[in-house]
Amino acid sequence: FSITALIVFNVAIIGVQADWGVKHTSEAVPSYFLALDLFFAVAFTVELLLRLCGEGCSFFSCHNPHLQKNLFDMSLVIFALIEEGIKFARSSMPNVSAMRVVRVFRLIRVIRIVRVARVFSDLRVMVSGILTSMKSLMWASILLLMMGYMFGVCVL
């Protein structure tokens, strides 16, 4: 549960950082954003290392039912560590192309919320219901537009 809260908090902070970046394009990123990014990178690395130590060799085993989740989490942690390395290297010499790479890595970190989605089963059922009813919703919208058009032609 604590890792889930950490993931949700990380995604929220990424959203706040993106909003701040749009509003303050010419200013340097505040140090508390950098500290939070480093905190999340370290926390997720520690979590992955603990899981790796706990599962041992079966962490990468084809018979492990959580293999895809493990590989997904490992790739996200690697991307987070690469992002921190780029930020550290960029602090000595600013480079616009490196900034684009950091934004891509940040987007990849947001994908981590997919892992949390399994916790919200009611939300998943609602989204599935909405997606299933899209065809009916489209026809209802077309019918409503036709009725509005006929009303406009006949009355006005």
Side-chain angles (χ1 to χ4, degrees):
F1 178 73
S2 60
I3 294 298
T4 301
L6 198 63
I7 291 170
V8 171
F9 185 57
N10 185 16
V11 169
I13 291 298
I14 289 172
V16 170
Q17 285 178 346
D19 182 57
W20 186 92
V22 168
K23 292 178 181 175
H24 304 92
T25 55
S26 61
E27 298 178 31
V29 177
S31 60
Y32 55 87
F33 282 147
L34 299 175
L36 281 171
D37 282 344
L38 185 61
F39 166 75
F40 286 123
V42 168
F44 292 133
T45 302
V46 167
E47 184 250 347
L48 183 71
L49 289 174
L50 288 174
R51 284 186 20 222
L52 185 60
C53 289
E55 293 185 30
C57 293
S58 68
F59 187 82
F60 297 110
S61 172
C62 294
H63 303 293
N64 187 345
H66 304 291
L67 177 64
Q68 291 177 343
K69 175 184 155 190
N70 290 344
L71 293 175
F72 177 71
D73 286 346
M74 188 176 72
S75 65
L76 288 177
V77 167
I78 289 170
F79 284 136
L81 294 175
I82 290 171
E83 179 184 355
E84 291 303 317
I86 289 173
K87 280 195 247 179
F88 179 73
R90 189 179 56 91
S91 66
S92 61
M93 57 177 213
N95 186 354
V96 177
S97 62
M99 196 56 194
R100 289 185 197 132
V101 172
V102 169
R103 286 184 189 139
V104 169
F105 285 143
R106 186 169 292 142
L107 177 65
I108 291 171
R109 278 184 15 212
V110 171
I111 296 172
R112 184 181 277 269
I113 198 75
V114 170
R115 185 177 139 201
V116 177
R118 63 185 163 89
V119 175
F120 302 111
S121 61
D122 293 339
L123 178 63
R124 189 172 51 225
V125 168
M126 288 174 56
V127 169
S128 175
I130 290 170
L131 292 176
T132 303
S133 65
M134 288 302 275
K135 183 178 177 183
S136 300
L137 181 63
M138 180 193 68
W139 285 116
S141 299
I142 290 172
L143 179 63
L144 187 61
L145 285 172
M146 287 174 36
M147 290 176 66
Y149 178 77
M150 290 188 316
F151 179 78
V153 169
C154 293
V155 174
L156 300 176

